[in-house]
Amino acid sequence: SLGWRRGVLVFDNTPLASAVDELNRYNRRQLVITDPSIAKLKVVGTFPATDLELVLAAAEDVYGLLVTHEGNTIRIHR
């Protein structure tokens, strides 16, 4: 998809680990998956490339994941 040209990232059954890698390319704050059991969760949706808060809110709401902010690192875990 060419969504990145419009500033959005499109995920279609994308593993969470791959989505995190892609989001990290566009953001100074970096996402880190600290629980390997969630790396394969599937992500579906279109998100602004630089709006990490929206992505993280979706992860919390849809999967019940926890998010911990530590400076420029954001940890995603159960």
Side-chain angles (χ1 to χ4, degrees):
S1 171
L2 298 176
W4 61 270
R5 288 186 178 179
R6 297 185 329 264
V8 297
L9 299 175
V10 179
F11 301 118
D12 183 18
N13 286 315
T14 304
L16 181 60
S18 297
V20 162
D21 288 342
E22 190 67 16
L23 286 159
N24 283 342
R25 292 179 58 210
Y26 295 93
N27 292 280
R28 173 175 280 167
R29 294 181 301 158
Q30 297 292 285
L31 302 173
V32 176
I33 297 172
T34 60
D35 182 346
S37 71
I38 65 173
K40 292 183 181 180
L41 291 174
K42 299 297 183 188
V43 178
V44 176
T46 302
F47 299 94
T50 58
D51 189 349
L52 290 179
E53 296 308 318
L54 179 64
V55 174
L56 295 170
E60 290 173 317
D61 291 344
V62 173
Y63 294 111
L65 300 178
L66 302 173
V67 174
T68 306
H69 297 262
E70 299 173 5
N72 281 338
T73 301
I74 302 170
R75 299 188 187 289
I76 304 170
H77 51 96
R78 285 205 191 269

